[in-house]
Amino acid sequence: MHLFDAHNHLQDARLDAHRTAILSNPTAHTMVVAGSGEDDWAEVASLAQAHSCVLPSFGVHPWYVKEQSPEWRERLEALLAQFPKAGIGEIGLDRWIENADVDLQQRFFIEQLALAARDNRAASIHCLRAWGLMEEMLRASPRPERGFLLHSYGGPAEMVSSLVKLGAYFSVSPYFLHERKAKQWATFAEIPLNRLLIETDAPDMWPPTVINPHPLHDQEGKEINHPANLELMYESVAKLRGMTVEDLAAVVQGNFQRLFGAA
Ligand SMILES: [Zn+2]
């Protein structure tokens, strides 16, 4: 059974001490490794070059829009030319962080979504506390024909069907296994099966400690999420959907291949 992680950040420095072990596992899953800005694109690129299980995605995350150089766009275009199968992301909108410059976030988002639409690349989208604006912008903009991923979808269940019509896929992360996220977890029982994906968002979004099969800590002893928690997610989502893990895996594989175009 081959598993697909629709979204993680394997390039993240918090995984430095663990990355070799993670990648030397012969059953390493196929994973979309998403960059977040000029600072980490080179690491994402070299992971993709060295490991066939890594599908790269390049973009500017809404948290980092203020830190990009005036050349960010040229640098992004150069990487896209070098990696014709790469996705665009992580891009998005976030009103949750302090001092969010939403106007600047919108400019970066629109510009990067346009690149995804132009090349028909999968866009990986982050959204926190900005769902109305996100839907409005998606509706008003050219979108990639193959669709886009709303990663770690935290929006309302009522918005799912209109987002589906715009081309959305939805991925669920281990964080939603926490008791306090029960309502969001239940939303994933209603996502159309042909738009459902699974992610770890490692090193972020770890599951509750009591059910965490792969507890992991960074250099400073802080809890982080292990990409191998993908298996826990497949088991948990299969239970939620009343399916066998094998049936779910076949569905997710088809969805992943349609959106990200990878075997
Ligand atoms: Zn992410």
Side-chain angles (χ1 to χ4, degrees):
M1 204 167 52
H2 195 99
L3 307 187
F4 295 81
D5 189 345
H7 188 93
N8 75 27
H9 301 282
L10 193 64
Q11 81 281 12
D12 192 297
R14 287 171 290 166
L15 288 168
D16 281 353
H18 310 292
R19 196 174 296 109
T20 309
I22 290 165
L23 283 162
S24 64
N25 177 352
T27 60
H29 319 295
T30 299
M31 54 182 83
V32 175
V33 175
S36 54
E38 285 173 288
D39 273 358
D40 67 5
W41 291 343
E43 278 102 288
V44 173
S46 62
L47 283 171
Q49 276 161 338
H51 305 280
S52 59
C53 63
V54 170
L55 249 169
S57 185
F58 301 102
V60 178
H61 190 289
W63 290 357
Y64 307 116
V65 288
K66 293 177 195 169
E67 298 158 22
Q68 304 308 304
S69 78
E71 291 81 41
W72 74 269
R73 163 83 192 230
E74 286 94 306
R75 295 187 59 194
L76 179 56
E77 291 264 24
L79 277 166
L80 295 177
Q82 197 187 341
F83 294 92
K85 291 181 181 160
I88 303 276
E90 174 168 0
I91 63 175
L93 299 174
D94 192 313
R95 282 201 184 109
W96 172 75
I97 45 155
E98 262 176 65
N99 303 317
D101 184 340
V102 178
D103 285 344
L104 187 61
Q105 288 184 14
Q106 277 183 260
R107 288 211 296 280
F108 270 83
F109 178 71
I110 289 285
E111 206 170 324
Q112 295 180 96
L113 185 65
L115 286 176
R118 181 195 71 188
D119 298 348
N120 192 24
R121 294 175 192 260
S124 292
I125 298 175
H126 162 113
C127 185
L128 275 180
R129 299 206 181 152
W131 284 104
L133 180 59
M134 174 58 74
E135 194 198 14
E136 219 173 276
M137 289 176 75
L138 284 168
R139 193 178 295 283
S141 311
R143 300 177 299 275
E145 205 180 304
R146 64 170 67 217
F148 53 88
L149 175 67
L150 297 174
H151 111 79
S152 213
Y153 178 67
E158 300 74 46
M159 278 179 82
V160 168
S161 63
S162 59
L163 290 166
V164 162
K165 287 191 194 104
L166 296 175
Y169 287 74
F170 305 79
S171 60
V172 54
S173 68
Y175 184 69
F176 292 146
L177 290 168
H178 287 267
E179 207 61 70
R180 62 182 177 278
K181 301 305 287 184
K183 191 171 165 231
Q184 201 59 34
W185 179 245
T187 299
F188 282 89
E190 293 170 38
I191 303 288
L193 259 192
N194 65 353
R195 298 300 180 93
L196 180 63
L197 285 165
I198 296 179
E199 66 167 276
T200 63
D201 205 18
D204 296 311
M205 298 282 197
W206 52 89
T209 311
V210 283
I211 57 163
N212 190 344
H214 302 283
L216 202 64
H217 296 86
D218 68 8
Q219 295 86 328
E220 288 163 16
K222 291 197 188 113
E223 191 159 19
I224 53 172
N225 189 14
H226 196 301
N229 282 330
L230 190 62
E231 289 161 31
L232 169 71
M233 287 311 291
Y234 269 75
E235 287 158 18
S236 306
V237 175
K239 250 182 239 155
L240 176 73
R241 304 292 305 220
M243 301 170 75
T244 65
V245 177
E246 289 75 15
D247 286 349
L248 175 71
V251 167
V252 169
Q253 176 161 358
N255 295 346
F256 188 98
Q257 286 169 343
R258 271 198 317 283
L259 180 58
F260 293 107

